[in-house]
């Protein structure tokens, strides 16, 4: 039998991104005792002694998949590449201290362009108090690729994993969501207008907030610090990179729970509503499936309700249920729907 016969190959689309990660994870159980979390959370966690841990997380950004240089300024891209990784460190309730940045570049980039990228990297390092520790540089034949790894530290007992949610816990989200996706729609629209008629200048007027959320997101360092001050430790946490629906399902799957959330409790900026109307997409769809918000989704015990209500920019949007209940949303009109995970699956058949 020919092992290479096409019928023996399985298309990646049959697994999807998350299925593929599960498959890899199944083959690599950590063998070192200091590793308390390997594959499967926002960052890996390993003990460094005296009750201290380090957190490490990595992300790969690929031109044409994650960003489009026709409307993303390189300084913003440098900033965002760092921030999306720091967000994963905060999502473990750890504090980042270092990054490495690796680039694959083609000749079309100038020294000035790379300087601009690193200005963004530097700005993020300054704002979040992290050091650029190294990286790697390669040539590329197919666009720009950016790989950033972030490292953080924390106390073992303070680390928050995705899998700690308990029935009756409150489900909390920071800030408003759907804005980064709405901003992307505006940038894509202006790009297609420009391609049809280069005389027309982009019109981003009135949409500065959502465009900013897409081009220059922030990690919720502030909320992590405020939770610490308020003496609230979440039971489970994840950052919102794929979209609330997908990320809540991850958290519930790992915690072996269900959840109910309420549309009326979810913060959505008015610019998102305006854009949703213009593009004829429900604002709720943008909020649930948009992704790239880099807000935090976490759960806390019911008895800290008063304390959590005092923390700025944290909203209680629902509660954790038994696994048998599933993961559902109650809409403003009283509908009750299972949350479909439509996060960005890079291997979707249609792509
Ligand atoms: P996030 O969105 O928080 O960055 P991902 O969905 O990218 O998380 O990854 C989930 C988990 O899978 C993480 O623990 C990550 O390190 C791991 N992971 C992703 N891709 C791979 C891979 N190719 N090999 C090993 N682990 C991976
Ligand atoms: Mg994450």
């Amino acid at each position: 039998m020919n092992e290479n016969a096409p019928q023996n190959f399985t298309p990646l689309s049959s697994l999807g991104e998350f299925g593929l990660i599960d498959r890899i994870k199944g083959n690599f159980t950590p063998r070192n005792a200091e590793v308390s979390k390997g594959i499967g959370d926002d960052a890996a966690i390993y003990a460094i002694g005296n009750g201290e841990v380090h957190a490490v997380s990595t992300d790969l950004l690929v031109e044409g998949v994650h960003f489009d240089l026709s409307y993303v300024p390189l300084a913003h891209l440098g900033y965002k590449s760092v921030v999306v990784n720091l967000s994963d460190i905060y999502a473990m309730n750890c504090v980042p201290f270092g990054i490495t940045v690796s680039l694959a570049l083609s000749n079309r980039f100038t020294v000035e362009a790379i300087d601009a990228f690193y200005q963004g990297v530097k700005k993020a390092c300054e704002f979040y108090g992290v050091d650029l520790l190294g990286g790697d540089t390669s040539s590329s034949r197919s666009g720009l690729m950016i790989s950033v790894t972030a490292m953080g530290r924390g106390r073992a007992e303070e680390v928050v994993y995705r899998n700690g949610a308990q029935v009756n816990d409150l489900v909390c989200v920071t800030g408003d969501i759907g804005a980064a996706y709405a901003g992307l729609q505006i940038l894509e629209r202006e790009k297609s207008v420009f391609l049809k008629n280069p005389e027309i200048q982009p019109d981003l007027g009135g949409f500065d907030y959502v465009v900013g959320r897409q081009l220059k997101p922030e990690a919720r360092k502030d909320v992590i610090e405020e939770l610490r001050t308020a003496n609230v430790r979440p039971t489970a946490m994840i950052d919102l990179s794929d979209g609330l629906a997908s990320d809540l399902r991850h958290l519930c799957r790992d915690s072996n729970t269900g959840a109910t959330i309420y549309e009326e409790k979810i913060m959505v900026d008015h610019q998102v509503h305006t854009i949703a109307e213009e593009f004829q997409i429900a604002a709720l769809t943008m909020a649930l499936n948009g992704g790239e918000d880099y807000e935090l989704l976490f759960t806390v015990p019911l008895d800290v309700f008063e304390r959590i209500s005092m923390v700025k920019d944290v909203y209680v949007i629902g509660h954790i249920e038994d696994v048998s209940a599933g993961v559902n949303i109650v809409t403003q009109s009283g509908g009750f729907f299972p949350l479909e995970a439509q996060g960005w699956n890079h291997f979707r058949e249609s792509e």
Side-chain angles (χ1 to χ4, degrees):
M1 209 168 83
N2 178 3
E3 286 209 329
N4 293 324
Q7 63 264 34
N8 287 333
F9 289 114
T10 316
L12 278 176
S13 56
S14 70
L15 280 182
E17 184 182 344
F18 301 133
L20 179 64
I21 293 172
D22 281 347
R23 188 181 170 91
I24 298 169
K25 183 181 170 187
N27 269 323
F28 289 89
T29 311
R31 50 168 59 85
N32 291 291
E34 59 266 46
V35 179
S36 56
K37 180 61 82 173
I39 297 171
D41 215 304
D42 293 295
I45 300 287
Y46 53 91
I48 57 162
N50 294 327
E52 300 277 327
V53 300
H54 275 183
V56 58
S57 177
T58 195
D59 265 306
L60 181 63
L61 300 179
V62 177
E63 184 177 351
V65 178
H66 299 99
F67 58 88
D68 182 334
L69 288 176
S70 61
Y71 54 73
V72 177
L74 277 161
H76 287 66
L77 187 58
Y79 193 88
K80 181 170 175 174
S81 306
V82 177
V83 164
V84 301
N85 276 274
L86 301 185
S87 177
D88 279 322
I89 301 295
Y90 290 118
M92 305 306 293
N93 202 26
C94 289
V95 178
F97 63 85
I99 54 164
T100 62
V101 176
S102 301
L103 297 179
L105 293 159
S106 64
N107 277 337
R108 93 187 136 102
F109 290 96
T110 61
V111 172
E112 288 74 16
I114 304 307
D115 281 350
F117 177 84
Y118 275 95
Q119 273 163 20
V121 169
K122 190 168 185 190
K123 214 170 163 194
C125 285
E126 283 166 0
F127 187 75
Y128 291 96
V130 304
D131 290 310
L132 175 62
L133 300 173
D136 197 13
T137 311
S138 164
S139 58
S140 162
R141 289 185 200 164
S142 58
L144 174 63
M145 281 172 251
I146 306 160
S147 171
V148 176
T149 298
M151 283 138 269
R153 61 167 90 83
R155 297 279 317 159
E157 70 276 11
E158 287 179 358
V159 176
V160 178
Y161 299 94
R162 290 178 180 177
N163 66 6
Q166 304 288 327
V167 174
N168 293 331
D169 279 358
L170 301 169
V171 176
C172 306
V173 168
T174 63
D176 61 271
I177 57 175
Y181 178 80
L184 182 63
Q185 301 316 301
I186 295 297
L187 290 164
E188 288 282 346
R189 182 184 70 185
E190 292 311 310
K191 181 189 172 186
S192 63
V193 169
F194 178 78
L195 288 178
K196 276 189 211 125
N197 185 353
E199 307 277 286
I200 299 177
Q201 287 301 305
D203 175 18
L204 305 175
F207 297 123
D208 49 329
Y209 175 67
V210 293
V211 169
R213 289 288 305 261
Q214 168 59 224
L215 294 180
K216 193 172 172 288
E218 300 291 356
R220 295 315 303 255
K221 173 184 198 270
D222 56 339
V223 173
I224 291 297
E225 288 168 355
E226 281 175 36
L227 289 175
R228 199 154 290 164
T229 308
N231 202 18
V232 174
R233 194 179 79 92
T235 46
M237 184 151 57
I238 185 170
D239 69 327
L240 292 178
S241 52
D242 292 329
L244 178 62
S246 173
D247 291 322
L248 178 60
R249 286 172 57 103
H250 277 312
L251 188 147
C252 286
R253 188 187 77 159
D254 290 359
S255 299
N256 194 30
T257 65
T260 301
I261 61 170
Y262 296 84
E263 178 184 9
E264 62 181 4
K265 307 281 186 196
I266 299 172
M267 290 295 140
V268 178
D269 188 82
H270 69 92
Q271 288 184 11
V272 175
H273 283 287
T274 308
I275 293 160
E277 215 161 282
E278 242 178 86
F279 285 78
Q280 299 195 317
I281 309 174
L284 182 62
T285 303
M286 286 192 173
L288 292 177
N289 301 312
E292 289 201 284
D293 289 310
Y294 300 104
E295 297 292 343
L296 294 169
L297 167 68
F298 59 91
T299 55
V300 293
L302 188 56
D303 61 15
V304 306
F305 179 74
E306 266 179 39
R307 262 186 288 157
I308 200 74
S309 310
M310 308 287 281
V311 180
K312 203 172 130 249
D313 226 15
V314 169
Y315 304 96
V316 176
I317 63 160
H319 57 271
I320 294 292
E321 304 240 30
D322 187 81
V323 65
S324 60
V327 183
N328 303 291
I329 184 163
V330 177
T331 61
Q332 245 146 3
S333 54
F336 184 83
F337 300 100
L339 272 188
E340 308 286 345
Q342 293 174 9
W344 302 124
N345 191 329
H346 293 292
F347 303 126
R348 266 185 310 201
E349 206 102 56
S350 59
E351 282 175 0

